[in-house]
Amino acid sequence: MKNDHQTDEPGDQEVVIRVRDLEVGFGERLVMKKLDLDVYRGEILGFVGPSGQGKSVLTRAVLGLIPKRSGTIEVFGQDVDKLSTERRRGIEQRWGVLFQQGALFSALTVRQNVQVPMREYLKLSDRLLDELAMLKIEMVGLKPDAADKLPSELSGGMIKRASLARALSLDPEILFLDEPTSGLDPIGAGEFDELIATLQRTLGLTVFMVTHDLDSLYTVCNRIAALGDGRIIAQGPMDRMLASDDPWVRSYFHGKRARAATAARH
Ligand SMILES: Nc1ncnc2c1ncn2[C@@H]1O[C@H](COP(=O)(O)OP(=O)(O)O)[C@@H](O)[C@H]1O
Ligand SMILES: [Mg+2]
């Protein structure tokens, strides 16, 4: 499948996440060094970079789960540091997250997992909660009987789908995915990518996706940003990445795995 929806650099598109001069550190180590990044409404942004460079840290900083040292983060045009608790909860309802690790609560069924955000943010009857959860479960391509299963009874692919259903629980506008296809076999990963692309189109989502998966980058991402040494070292559509002369970006997009991914689509 060739990517047919890569666009040029977005011009006047609305920025839904704006990060400026972001510094995040742990002890002596500065992980983000004056990082700038924009995410545009309706795009699927692929976020790449070497392991341990801070892709998850950036995601968690945007979500307000890791404190920053300096800089600003705006989501939907609002500085997340300056929000009242109420407005902050308002923003939290407009995003959904699929974390890299520990996606589901192991003691809860899939249905109960999907309902966790609903119970936290919405006041709905149990019956409505059940109906909504089933809708989300169906939306991610799980069979209804998955609803009553525990995470330990699911395959890796089903766990990812159930986690996605939970991320979609509150009908978010932004979806954060941290390495959603890692651990899946290539076919499972390809199917998951297709699901993301379909959901993005039908629900009009903005997707921020941390990934190592070159297939995902080729097939579903409109734009890619690469992290290196605490900053964005290259960004743009795939052709821009392929033309980058940054050494890491070059070896990543032109290396052996990249050639295999490209060969598979010709
Ligand atoms: N809560 C934390 N406390 C201390 N160091 C952390 C914490 N979270 C992440 N780090 C460090 O920050 C760096 C970036 O981590 P991470 O964002 O997980 O990398 P990746 O790009 O692989 O997602 C790593 O060196 C990691 O050890
Ligand atoms: Mg990570």
Side-chain angles (χ1 to χ4, degrees):
M1 186 172 38
K2 202 165 166 59
N3 189 346
D4 59 0
H5 53 238
Q6 273 188 5
T7 53
D8 285 318
E9 193 77 352
D12 50 5
Q13 267 175 273
E14 181 193 349
V15 175
V16 289
I17 302 173
R18 184 191 305 273
V19 177
R20 288 293 177 273
D21 294 326
L22 179 68
E23 291 195 319
V24 180
F26 303 101
E28 302 274 277
R29 172 149 190 236
L30 210 48
V31 179
M32 303 281 113
K33 300 172 185 168
K34 301 268 181 198
L35 178 136
D36 293 341
L37 182 66
D38 288 333
V39 182
Y40 298 93
R41 184 175 290 280
E43 75 172 344
I44 302 185
L45 179 77
F47 192 48
V48 299
S51 213
Q53 280 290 309
K55 300 181 297 298
S56 296
V57 165
L58 176 66
T59 310
R60 298 179 81 89
V62 171
L63 295 170
L65 301 172
I66 290 182
K68 54 189 167 59
R69 296 226 172 126
S70 60
T72 55
I73 298 172
E74 288 173 19
V75 182
F76 304 119
Q78 303 178 65
D79 184 333
V80 294
D81 278 340
K82 297 186 178 148
L83 296 174
S84 61
T85 311
E86 197 184 329
R87 291 190 79 137
R88 161 131 207 118
R89 279 176 67 83
I91 284 193
E92 285 168 0
Q93 287 188 48
R94 295 170 68 187
W95 68 43
V97 191
L98 198 167
F99 288 106
Q100 187 172 4
Q101 265 122 19
L104 297 173
F105 296 109
S106 58
L108 301 184
T109 64
V110 170
R111 184 206 320 270
Q112 290 167 336
N113 265 286
V114 173
Q115 290 172 338
V116 167
M118 297 176 185
R119 289 188 191 280
E120 188 176 344
Y121 290 95
L122 312 173
K123 282 201 167 57
L124 298 173
S125 68
D126 282 350
R127 204 181 130 203
L128 199 48
L129 285 175
D130 284 346
E131 281 181 23
L132 285 175
M134 290 316 290
L135 200 67
K136 305 297 172 188
I137 287 166
E138 198 177 316
M139 206 183 254
V140 297
L142 288 173
K143 296 210 186 79
D145 67 2
D148 295 314
K149 294 201 156 84
L150 291 168
S152 58
E153 300 174 283
L154 305 179
S155 69
M158 289 168 83
I159 288 178
K160 299 279 185 184
R161 283 173 195 261
S163 312
L164 183 61
R166 191 177 63 186
L168 294 170
S169 174
L170 300 173
D171 299 326
E173 290 162 61
I174 308 178
L175 187 58
F176 292 89
L177 305 170
D178 196 346
E179 309 216 13
T181 58
S182 73
L184 298 184
D185 63 58
I187 293 172
E191 287 172 355
F192 198 85
D193 282 341
E194 260 176 52
L195 175 63
I196 297 295
T198 304
L199 290 171
Q200 188 279 329
R201 269 197 313 274
T202 52
L203 305 174
L205 299 168
T206 302
V207 181
F208 178 88
M209 177 161 70
V210 176
T211 184
H212 276 298
D213 191 329
L214 277 158
D215 284 319
S216 306
L217 293 165
Y218 267 103
T219 57
V220 301
C221 295
N222 307 110
R223 222 159 52 86
I224 299 162
L227 176 69
D229 194 27
R231 294 185 192 83
I232 302 300
I233 50 176
Q235 61 180 315
M238 184 56 93
D239 53 2
R240 177 89 58 92
M241 304 309 279
L242 292 171
S244 166
D245 50 20
D246 175 86
W248 184 84
V249 175
R250 277 194 69 78
S251 69
Y252 189 77
F253 288 98
H254 295 277
K256 212 194 269 171
R257 282 177 41 210
R259 281 198 297 276
T262 321
R265 39 184 60 74
H266 289 296

